[in-house]
Amino acid sequence: MGICANYVRKLFGSVSGRTVALLGAFLVVIFYVPIAMAETVIKVDAGANAQEELQEALILVESGQTIELGEGIFVLSDGLSLDVDNVTVRGQGMDKTILSFRDQKGGSEGLLVTSDQVILQDFAVEDSKGDAIKSKGVDGIAMINLRVEWTDGPKSTNGAYGLYPVQSKNVFIHGCVAIGASDAGIYVGQSDRIIVANSRGEFNVAGLEIENSYNADVFDNVLTRNTGGLLVFDLPNLPQQGGHNVRFFRNKSFNNDTPNFAPEGNIVGIVPRGTGMIVMANENVEIFENEFYENDTMNIVVASYVDDFDDENYQPTPRKIHIHHNKFGKSGLDPDTGEFGAIVRETLGTPVPDIVWDGVLPLMDYFVFGQDEEHKLAIHDNIHLDGVRPFGNANLIMHVIAPIFHKAHYDMSPYQKSYPPLPPVEVIIRGKNAMELVQ
Amino acid sequence: MKRFVLLVVSAVLLVGGGDVSASAVNDQKLMAKKPAKLLSAYGLFKDKSARNPGPALLRYELNNPLFTDYAEKIRYIYIPQSAGPAKLTTHDEPLSFPVGSVLVKTFAYPVSFQQKNSSLRFIETRLLIHKSDGWVAYPYVWNEEQNEAKLKVAGKRLQIPVIWEDRASQIIEYAVPNMNQCKGCHASRDKQITPIGPKIRNLNRLDAAGIENQINILKRKGYLSVQFPEIENLPKVPDPFDERAGSLRERARSYLDGNCAHCHAPGKPADTSGLYLNYEEERDVHWGIDKPPVAAGRGAGGLKVAIKPGQPDQSILYYRMNSVDPGIMMPELGRSLIHQEGLKLIEEFIKSLD
């Protein structure tokens, strides 16, 4: 369009800008559209030269075009990348179009997207050496009906993240499957305006994690057979921190029974086998209408950041965590024997209560002032099994400072309060509400 | 339109100066929307094998170059006469080159590392061209006969046989980056392609022949303004492997700057990690001291911090430099071998910290 108008401008140098634009549009209608229509879909098939053909298509594709991947296994030797705005990459289905990185020699992810308004759908990325699909610093990324998988099952040598949008705005993940990530199957980090829905995480260390992010809706997902199902973390010393306004609703997190296989040294290595959900740091997290059951360590834990840090802007204790209308089933009968699981067993006993708070506060608050009413946990209208304590405060500060005086608290009455519901998140992709992409 | 006039003017100037030869740089081709298929089309070199640069090309070296599998690198700057000199920006940014400028870098291996001056086999020549709407990066791969370099937008894997100084021979799995991978490192804070190397503090050094400071040569050529500050007033990073050039700490930080900071700096591709290895970063935790990993996955190797003072074997930084596994190694691109000298420098540096 721009080129065409320039051409017209050259021909009719003296004509006014508006006339030129009109004329340009006219020419576009006559000549440009039919040609463009024929070219908007670039087909790439699996074959011996898949690496070069697919990467070349990802480089030469123009804004507004679609790359259509054929059925079959694309054998790839290097990470792929896309840096053109407003492109769709579409396969024939998550079990039919498979990008296999089993023989990958270079590149730290399977597919990297660094351009805005990109839609990825209906294909799979298998066995990438690092992360499977990453978007970095983009506005508008849709991942729809994708599968990312490490096909040998849980192994510490698997890549860290499956679906990995980071430092992105308007993130939409829908109908995806993530299996075998050595960190999180679906991980959204340092991002803003996020929807993760109708997706499934299995056999990952963390099924689905929102980290250092703002305004996320996580709903209708199924997390099972991971080490931990749902995580919402906030970490220090990062360009974006102070995670807040995250809603988790209508998710099912159950039978997360895979022993933690994260490579040592990673923060996710703390997750005990059999955890339904961990809230760490963050402010304003609303957890409602979810189901948690058959998680051997515990259903939900609300905790402060565990390591030392050097960052005066960082808020390590969670605030305004609102847990209501969830359904809890049998859990907490056999906590993990690792550090975190052991301390839960030691301080709270088994069966571990459905909602665990570590009880950690800034020391002055803990010993002198008490927790600000405005920051307290709010818990109401959840359904618990008979004979299970709904809530336990592990009181970890006393456990560390003076174990002989340590006592856990099970009284929920200080937290039987409510916060106003958080607003729904709207994700805009190509100028439209992202939910329209899947309707 | 303005550009067209400039081109005409510069062409006239060239004719006027009687300097038109077969080697005249084809500015029009350089500025065209699409890249030329063959490197020779740009007229940057006098010969098809690009051994002899045209008169407008100025060779330069860097104080702290990126390690790329021990490849020799031959770098040139080209600035069209009409475009005026490059300008100084901040000390941690590359010079601001005018539209029309080209940075040329050829990667080559000697037939044998035993004879330093044995003839070089060119592998690829990369062009960074400053077009009117920003920089672009084009990789050209040399043929077997060494008389033609062809554009490869999707990159290419090559097997390069080498003979090392100790006579051992090896096949290097050399990866020519695709155009997106070029941008993976050559990305500015606003996500545009940008040069990395020619910062003033990296250029402030003697030329390849070891005779004259490059800043003076650039000035004489008109590539830097004569009003440019005197050498003594310009910043400089030390050659990491010249013990006389700076303290161990300065040399190690210079090495990390040259090899890591194109991604590991605020606003750059790896800033998601919070690990910033640019020369000017002074906050201990951000340049790695006792800094836990964020998304390193198995790249962390079971270690807890990027740099554990006194303990290289407990430092993720050292671990990742010491690997060639794509899921672990750093940098991610540009090498398939371990840089033994760089690793040793960082080992000594970490040992020296307390």
Side-chain angles (χ1 to χ4, degrees):
Chain A
M1 175 72 197
I3 298 161
C4 201
N6 280 339
Y7 179 64
V8 175
R9 200 169 283 133
K10 269 185 192 157
L11 286 178
F12 307 95
S14 60
V15 191
S16 79
R18 171 176 278 191
T19 319
V20 168
L22 280 174
L23 243 158
F26 180 65
L27 283 178
V28 164
V29 169
I30 296 177
F31 302 111
Y32 189 73
V33 170
I35 301 165
M37 291 290 276
E39 286 181 346
T40 41
V41 174
I42 300 167
K43 288 207 163 125
V44 182
D45 287 315
N49 213 8
Q51 176 74 38
E52 188 165 350
E53 281 173 23
L54 180 48
Q55 183 58 66
E56 199 164 295
L58 289 166
I59 287 171
L60 299 178
V61 66
E62 290 176 23
S63 177
Q65 293 186 324
T66 294
I67 296 176
E68 188 165 324
L69 307 173
E71 256 188 65
I73 299 176
F74 291 68
V75 177
L76 300 162
S77 59
D78 276 278
L80 300 167
S81 55
L82 172 63
D83 190 41
V84 182
D85 291 346
N86 198 24
V87 166
T88 301
V89 181
R90 189 173 53 215
Q92 308 302 314
M94 67 164 78
D95 295 314
K96 290 184 175 155
T97 299
I98 295 162
L99 309 186
S100 170
F101 291 88
R102 186 165 277 275
D103 299 324
Q104 187 174 9
K105 291 177 187 157
S108 63
E109 51 269 308
L111 171 62
L112 172 66
V113 177
T114 49
S115 48
D116 299 338
Q117 312 300 339
V118 166
I119 298 173
L120 309 174
Q121 69 182 96
D122 298 312
F123 61 89
V125 166
E126 291 184 354
D127 299 315
S128 57
K129 291 284 181 280
D131 309 313
I133 304 179
K134 176 175 178 179
S135 77
K136 204 260 172 185
V138 310
D139 185 352
I141 174 80
M143 301 177 176
I144 301 168
N145 301 334
L146 301 176
R147 177 171 57 89
V148 287
E149 180 167 4
W150 284 269
T151 57
D152 289 344
K155 280 201 313 200
S156 67
T157 50
N158 292 350
Y161 300 128
L163 300 175
Y164 179 21
V166 65
Q167 285 182 353
S168 297
K169 277 183 287 191
N170 290 303
V171 172
F172 184 68
I173 297 176
H174 196 280
C176 294
V177 176
I179 300 171
S182 70
D183 195 312
I186 298 172
Y187 171 97
V188 183
Q190 301 179 56
S191 294
D192 189 8
R193 297 199 293 283
I194 301 146
I195 288 177
V196 183
N198 288 74
S199 295
R200 192 175 176 89
E202 289 180 20
F203 297 104
N204 308 286
V205 174
L208 192 167
E209 178 172 5
I210 306 291
E211 191 165 270
N212 289 54
S213 288
Y214 312 153
N215 306 307
D217 271 355
V218 179
F219 56 93
D220 294 333
N221 301 289
V222 173
L223 296 313
T224 186
R225 311 223 54 191
N226 305 286
T227 305
L230 296 162
L231 272 62
V232 53
F233 277 20
D234 195 58
L235 304 180
N237 295 124
L238 293 177
Q240 175 171 311
Q241 57 195 46
H244 63 266
N245 286 33
V246 184
R247 306 196 308 166
F248 290 86
F249 55 99
R250 299 197 309 255
N251 301 289
K252 286 185 186 170
S253 180
F254 60 96
N255 196 19
N256 288 296
D257 61 350
T258 298
N260 195 316
F261 61 99
E264 218 185 307
N266 287 267
I267 181 79
V268 81
I270 64 166
V271 177
R273 171 190 50 81
T275 305
M277 177 165 191
I278 303 180
V279 179
M280 194 173 76
N282 274 280
E283 182 160 331
N284 275 327
V285 178
E286 188 176 2
I287 302 160
F288 59 103
E289 296 172 20
N290 302 285
E291 289 181 43
F292 299 92
Y293 53 95
E294 284 169 32
N295 295 305
D296 278 350
T297 298
M298 59 203 150
N299 278 324
I300 299 184
V301 60
V302 178
S304 56
Y305 180 64
V306 288
D307 281 331
D308 296 335
F309 63 93
D310 171 14
D311 182 349
E312 57 191 30
N313 299 315
Y314 178 63
Q315 166 60 49
T317 52
R319 290 172 169 176
K320 299 179 89 158
I321 310 302
H322 188 186
I323 304 171
H324 62 96
H325 293 97
N326 298 287
K327 192 175 166 193
F328 294 96
K330 191 173 75 175
S331 280
L333 294 173
D334 179 22
D336 189 15
T337 51
E339 198 179 345
F340 197 164
I343 208 164
V344 165
R345 183 198 294 261
E346 209 176 309
T347 52
L348 293 163
T350 52
V352 177
D354 282 329
I355 302 168
V356 172
W357 178 39
D358 67 356
V360 174
L361 293 171
L363 287 184
M364 285 300 283
D365 288 352
Y366 181 79
F367 285 110
V368 186
F369 304 114
Q371 189 179 20
D372 190 332
E373 192 61 36
E374 281 295 290
H375 294 161
K376 271 187 185 166
L377 267 168
I379 303 171
H380 60 91
D381 293 302
N382 296 294
I383 300 170
H384 305 272
L385 286 183
D386 288 343
V388 176
R389 287 169 161 145
F391 171 81
N393 170 357
N395 193 11
L396 286 189
I397 290 184
M398 195 56 82
H399 179 76
V400 171
I401 294 178
I404 49 165
F405 296 114
H406 173 264
K407 211 171 74 180
H409 306 295
Y410 302 96
D411 178 10
M412 201 165 67
S413 58
Y415 314 103
Q416 279 177 324
K417 53 181 274 184
S418 183
Y419 291 117
L422 294 174
V425 175
E426 193 177 29
V427 170
I428 303 293
I429 293 186
R430 298 184 186 168
K432 285 188 190 158
N433 186 325
M435 289 303 288
E436 288 180 27
L437 292 169
V438 292
Q439 277 156 6
Chain B
M1 190 63 192
K2 200 181 268 173
R3 200 173 74 234
F4 178 66
V5 172
L6 286 177
L7 284 175
V8 170
V9 170
S10 63
V12 168
L13 281 175
L14 282 173
V15 171
D19 198 15
V20 174
S21 65
S23 71
V25 174
N26 190 334
D27 289 302
Q28 233 163 339
K29 273 252 158 61
L30 285 167
M31 293 300 107
K33 195 171 158 58
K34 301 240 166 186
K37 290 226 157 40
L38 299 178
L39 178 69
S40 54
Y42 299 115
L44 292 161
F45 294 90
K46 288 180 185 162
D47 56 333
K48 286 211 156 168
S49 57
R51 264 53 176 186
N52 300 302
L57 263 62
L58 185 68
R59 185 154 178 192
Y60 70 100
E61 305 286 326
L62 297 172
N63 279 322
N64 59 352
L66 174 73
F67 170 77
T68 38
D69 284 356
Y70 295 100
E72 303 273 346
K73 293 181 203 172
I74 306 156
R75 306 176 182 81
Y76 300 98
I77 296 174
Y78 165 72
I79 302 179
Q81 235 177 347
S82 54
K87 295 198 173 63
L88 189 60
T89 50
T90 56
H91 292 161
D92 57 318
E93 291 288 331
L95 290 172
S96 167
F97 293 96
V99 169
S101 303
V102 185
L103 298 172
V104 184
K105 181 157 65 172
T106 296
F107 292 69
Y109 284 95
V111 173
S112 162
F113 278 88
Q114 287 179 296
Q115 298 140 298
K116 272 284 175 222
N117 294 322
S118 65
S119 68
L120 288 174
R121 174 185 170 190
F122 283 11
I123 309 302
E124 55 161 331
T125 295
R126 302 181 192 169
L127 301 187
L128 265 184
I129 306 175
H130 196 180
K131 297 198 178 181
S132 53
D133 53 355
W135 291 88
V136 293
Y138 300 140
Y140 289 85
V141 175
W142 285 94
N143 62 358
E144 206 57 52
E145 296 76 28
Q146 298 279 290
N147 58 9
E148 190 179 88
K150 247 191 201 159
L151 180 70
K152 281 280 171 195
V153 292
K156 197 171 174 63
R157 282 208 166 266
L158 300 167
Q159 263 115 35
I160 313 286
V162 293
I163 301 166
W164 301 115
E165 254 173 300
D166 62 1
R167 280 185 170 192
S169 62
Q170 188 175 1
I171 306 284
I172 294 178
E173 280 279 343
Y174 189 97
V176 177
N178 66 51
M179 280 163 58
N180 286 354
Q181 288 171 320
C182 294
K183 194 175 166 186
C185 296
H186 284 271
S188 66
R189 290 184 171 81
D190 52 359
K191 296 211 301 180
Q192 300 304 306
I193 292 184
T194 179
I196 301 169
K199 300 172 184 175
I200 201 69
R201 65 183 184 209
N202 300 346
L203 291 167
N204 186 0
R205 55 165 288 148
L206 294 180
D207 64 358
I211 296 167
E212 193 182 2
N213 189 299
Q214 297 187 138
I215 305 294
N216 290 340
I217 301 175
L218 285 160
K219 277 187 190 177
R220 203 167 53 241
K221 186 94 183 164
Y223 281 7
L224 288 176
S225 153
V226 281
Q227 275 111 46
F228 207 74
E230 291 302 315
I231 293 162
E232 308 82 72
N233 301 326
L234 290 171
K236 179 177 181 167
V237 292
D239 174 345
F241 303 105
D242 179 358
E243 286 183 20
R244 294 157 305 169
S247 67
L248 175 59
R249 186 189 192 92
E250 286 163 346
R251 289 186 293 116
R253 289 296 304 273
S254 173
Y255 180 83
L256 295 173
D257 181 88
N259 283 274
C260 318
H262 45 276
C263 289
H264 279 282
K268 296 302 181 85
D271 70 343
T272 45
S273 65
L275 180 66
Y276 307 144
L277 295 168
N278 44 326
Y279 198 65
E280 53 279 350
E281 179 59 62
E282 284 171 354
R283 297 166 294 179
D284 284 351
V285 64
H286 278 296
W287 65 263
I289 298 289
D290 291 326
K291 186 193 172 299
V294 173
R298 68 193 174 99
L303 306 175
K304 295 195 163 42
V305 294
I307 296 177
K308 184 86 187 158
Q311 294 176 272
D313 61 344
Q314 295 300 309
S315 302
I316 298 169
L317 187 79
Y318 179 85
Y319 174 75
R320 302 190 81 163
M321 285 176 64
N322 196 21
S323 172
V324 291
D325 178 331
I328 296 170
M329 70 181 196
M330 285 284 159
E332 293 172 350
L333 293 178
R335 73 174 178 91
S336 65
L337 303 174
I338 292 165
H339 188 201
Q340 297 299 345
E341 295 76 10
L343 189 69
K344 193 156 170 284
L345 174 72
I346 297 306
E347 180 182 9
E348 284 173 22
F349 173 54
I350 296 176
K351 272 189 189 156
S352 77
L353 299 168
D354 52 23

